[in-house]
Amino acid sequence: MSQLFSPLTLRGVHFRHRVFVSPMCQYSATGGYPDSWHLVHLGSRAVGGAALVMFEATAVSPEGRISPGDLGLWDDAHIGAYRTIVDFIKAQGAVPGIQLAHAGRKGSMQTPWAGGHPLPPELAWTTVAPDNTAFAPGIPPPKPMDDNDLRTVRTAFTSAAQRAQEAGFEVLEIHMAHGYLLHQFLSPRSNHRKDSYGGDFAGRARFPLEITEMVRVAWPEHLPLFVRISATDWVDGGWDLDQSVQLARNLGDRGVDLIDCSSGGLLPDAPIPAGPGYQVPFAQTIRARTGIPTGAIGLITEPVQAEQIVATGQADAVFLARALLRDPYWPLRAAHTLRAELPWPVQYERAKFR
Ligand SMILES: Cc1cc2nc3c(=O)[nH]c(=O)nc-3n(C[C@H](O)[C@H](O)[C@H](O)COP(=O)(O)O)c2cc1C
């Protein structure tokens, strides 16, 4: 019996199995609004049988965007555009989730296909970060956040969480990974603050944990809260797995239901030993040492590989990104390979593998 295709319940939410769509920026929004691209893109993954369809990193404020094409949830006016897509995903039997994000010093950039460079001055905005260290040479330095900036971002996260609920989302994920704002606070390589939001582990974790507490209050009790972390910066003197375990415990204490275990993204030149399943040991260690459910991500591409990750207790679910861009029907195909039962959309039943 497939463990990958066994159901999972977190709080009041039932997942039909454990193949989740990893958040993937499409850089295709205007003014933060999702449109028909997002409906077709995310809707296809729901039709393809995914259990959770996670919307991409969605900015909690305009200056929290990576690029002008990012999704946003900083205005009540955004809610309706999400609801249409959320309703479609639910109608396919999938759970809709959203990743809330603030890019910090990695914001104000062009889309990747426009070059991925800093925006020209007429389109650029001032980024904010724990301190004034730029992400990379040639990128304008961010403004170090003062008390008012911290308050503004805390409020932006909680307001966006409330809007996500109104839009009908059933999973909320806080983005603390990939070198974006909350990761910038966590890592000693990007947080050189001298106040109570820097210094030792407790200081660097303070702001991400404050946001987690506030979001947990704003997000309904019966709905699960995930956090994506980078389990390591892959550099000496950076964030590492031991700190991730400590953070995961602190997040669990604050009502986080699943740690989504990615890595890297803080420094442009970190040597990352990418290979099949290379981040799975992070999910395994955090799960074993904290008892908190984890999600594994990163170069998980084969059904048997995904099955082994769940069946051997390395993680409770797998997130897939590029494999699901190549093939939105990956879950239907994998269920067939693993001889698991996963209903096809009735409209497609004549094409079912037999
Ligand atoms: C097009 C694209 C966009 C991405 N956008 C996000 C994002 O919005 N948030 C995030 O946490 N990770 C993002 N990622 C990282 C993926 O979620 C995933 O962690 C990474 O691609 C490794 O998984 P894979 O080997 O299955 O692709 C993105 C990846 C891709 C390919």
Side-chain angles (χ1 to χ4, degrees):
M1 221 190 84
S2 168
Q3 297 302 306
L4 184 67
F5 284 95
S6 66
L8 175 70
T9 300
L10 294 171
R11 296 196 184 233
V13 174
H14 176 83
F15 302 87
R16 55 186 166 184
H17 55 74
R18 292 140 189 269
V19 180
F20 292 176
V21 178
S22 199
M24 282 180 278
C25 285
Q26 301 296 293
Y27 305 113
S28 300
T30 306
Y33 289 86
D35 62 19
S36 51
W37 174 263
H38 303 88
L39 171 65
V40 173
H41 162 63
L42 296 161
S44 301
R45 272 83 208 156
V47 169
L52 167 69
V53 177
M54 184 80 83
F55 281 51
E56 66 195 72
T58 300
V60 297
S61 63
E63 57 288 344
R65 291 176 296 174
I66 304 166
S67 83
D70 288 24
L71 286 183
L73 206 42
W74 61 80
D75 194 318
D76 289 349
H78 288 128
I79 295 170
Y82 285 89
R83 198 177 283 135
T84 309
I85 305 173
V86 162
D87 287 348
F88 181 84
I89 290 169
K90 286 181 183 169
Q92 311 314 311
V95 173
I98 186 163
Q99 186 186 52
L100 293 184
H102 191 301
R105 70 182 190 178
K106 286 177 85 173
S108 193
M109 306 297 280
Q110 298 169 327
T111 56
W113 46 87
H117 303 298
L119 287 170
E122 65 278 15
L123 296 176
W125 58 86
T126 303
T127 61
V128 295
D131 61 38
N132 65 357
T133 320
F135 172 60
I139 295 181
K143 170 187 181 287
M145 290 172 74
D146 60 23
D147 284 349
N148 193 40
D149 297 320
L150 293 170
R151 197 166 30 246
T152 302
V153 171
R154 276 192 294 259
T155 306
F157 267 94
T158 51
S159 301
Q162 283 158 356
R163 293 185 191 109
Q165 183 205 353
E166 282 181 51
F169 285 102
E170 294 177 330
V171 167
L172 192 113
E173 176 167 276
I174 302 175
H175 200 349
M176 285 190 196
H178 301 167
Y180 295 114
L181 183 68
L182 300 182
H183 185 180
Q184 290 158 29
F185 270 87
L186 291 171
S187 177
R189 293 291 294 262
S190 49
N191 181 345
H192 305 98
R193 293 176 78 96
K194 301 282 177 254
D195 65 2
S196 62
Y197 289 94
D200 61 6
F201 172 89
R204 285 179 279 111
R206 183 182 309 274
F207 187 55
L209 291 175
E210 283 177 354
I211 286 183
T212 306
E213 278 172 21
M214 292 178 69
V215 166
R216 188 62 269 183
V217 171
W219 184 240
E221 184 74 25
H222 68 284
L223 297 179
L225 177 63
F226 295 4
V227 171
R228 174 166 276 200
I229 63 166
S230 280
T232 176
D233 289 337
W234 297 110
V235 292
D236 289 340
W239 183 258
D240 59 20
L241 183 56
D242 279 339
Q243 294 174 82
S244 294
V245 169
Q246 179 60 40
L247 178 69
R249 285 198 187 103
N250 295 164
L251 293 170
D253 291 344
R254 286 160 178 78
V256 170
D257 301 291
L258 182 139
I259 311 290
D260 173 5
C261 302
S262 188
S263 76
L266 190 87
L267 300 166
D269 49 2
I272 300 182
Y278 71 111
Q279 295 173 148
V280 176
F282 302 136
Q284 180 180 15
T285 301
I286 290 171
R287 188 174 191 265
R289 287 178 57 189
T290 67
I292 301 169
T294 58
I297 174 69
L299 288 172
I300 300 167
T301 55
E302 303 306 319
V304 171
Q305 177 195 19
E307 174 68 27
Q308 279 172 351
I309 290 166
V310 174
T312 59
Q314 293 175 287
D316 297 86
V318 293
F319 287 84
L320 271 60
R322 288 164 293 181
L324 276 168
L325 288 188
R326 288 181 210 112
D327 178 8
Y329 308 105
W330 193 99
L332 294 175
R333 199 185 293 278
H336 177 69
T337 303
L338 299 170
R339 298 193 167 78
E341 199 46 52
L342 178 60
W344 282 49
V346 286
Q347 298 90 335
Y348 287 11
E349 261 179 359
R350 288 173 67 187
K352 194 171 175 179
F353 302 118
R354 311 236 175 234

